[in-house]
Amino acid sequence: VGTYSRGMMQRICLAQALVNDPDLVILDEPTSGLDPIGRMEVRSIISALRDRGKTVLFSSHELSEVELMCDHLAILVRGKVVASGKAADLVRPGQSLENYFMKVVAEARP
């Protein structure tokens, strides 16, 4: 396994997280290191979990992935939640999540 690519390791870790069919799945950067097809497959798996009533906690610095996948989001600055809620309630129409994120983080820092 140590010789596998980053993308293959991501797939193995996802399989390990899901093998026991948990009600809560915590994923840290689940699409990191994946090619576009792999990213789409992981998003499909996450959507299927959500559709089955599973709770998926998704941590990512890739805000485009967050925009595609998350119904609710929380932004942390120095370990404290500075914004949270439904993405549609936080980010105005026409505003990107990245712009919203940068504004919130700038306001939260001393």
Side-chain angles (χ1 to χ4, degrees):
V1 174
T3 62
Y4 288 176
S5 69
R6 173 81 171 128
M8 188 57 73
M9 293 296 286
Q10 284 292 87
R11 289 172 174 86
I12 291 169
C13 289
L14 182 59
Q16 286 177 318
L18 301 178
V19 71
N20 291 320
D21 193 29
D23 291 329
L24 169 66
V25 181
I26 301 172
L27 302 172
D28 182 28
E29 304 281 353
T31 59
S32 175
L34 295 175
D35 58 60
I37 293 171
R39 286 177 183 261
M40 185 177 66
E41 289 170 344
V42 168
R43 286 193 297 263
S44 177
I45 290 167
I46 292 170
S47 292
L49 290 167
R50 181 183 57 219
D51 293 346
R52 291 179 41 221
K54 307 292 184 174
T55 300
V56 179
L57 179 61
F58 179 104
S59 170
S60 182
H61 293 92
E62 293 288 334
L63 298 180
S64 60
E65 291 292 323
V66 173
E67 279 184 304
L68 288 171
M69 295 304 307
C70 298
D71 298 324
H72 290 76
L73 58 93
I75 297 174
L76 297 132
V77 175
R78 296 192 172 123
K80 295 187 185 203
V81 176
V82 296
S84 67
K86 290 183 178 182
D89 293 339
L90 296 174
V91 182
R92 293 187 312 250
Q95 181 183 30
S96 71
L97 177 57
E98 183 175 353
N99 287 339
Y100 176 78
F101 175 85
M102 296 303 291
K103 176 182 169 280
V104 168
V105 169
E107 290 172 354
R109 290 193 170 172

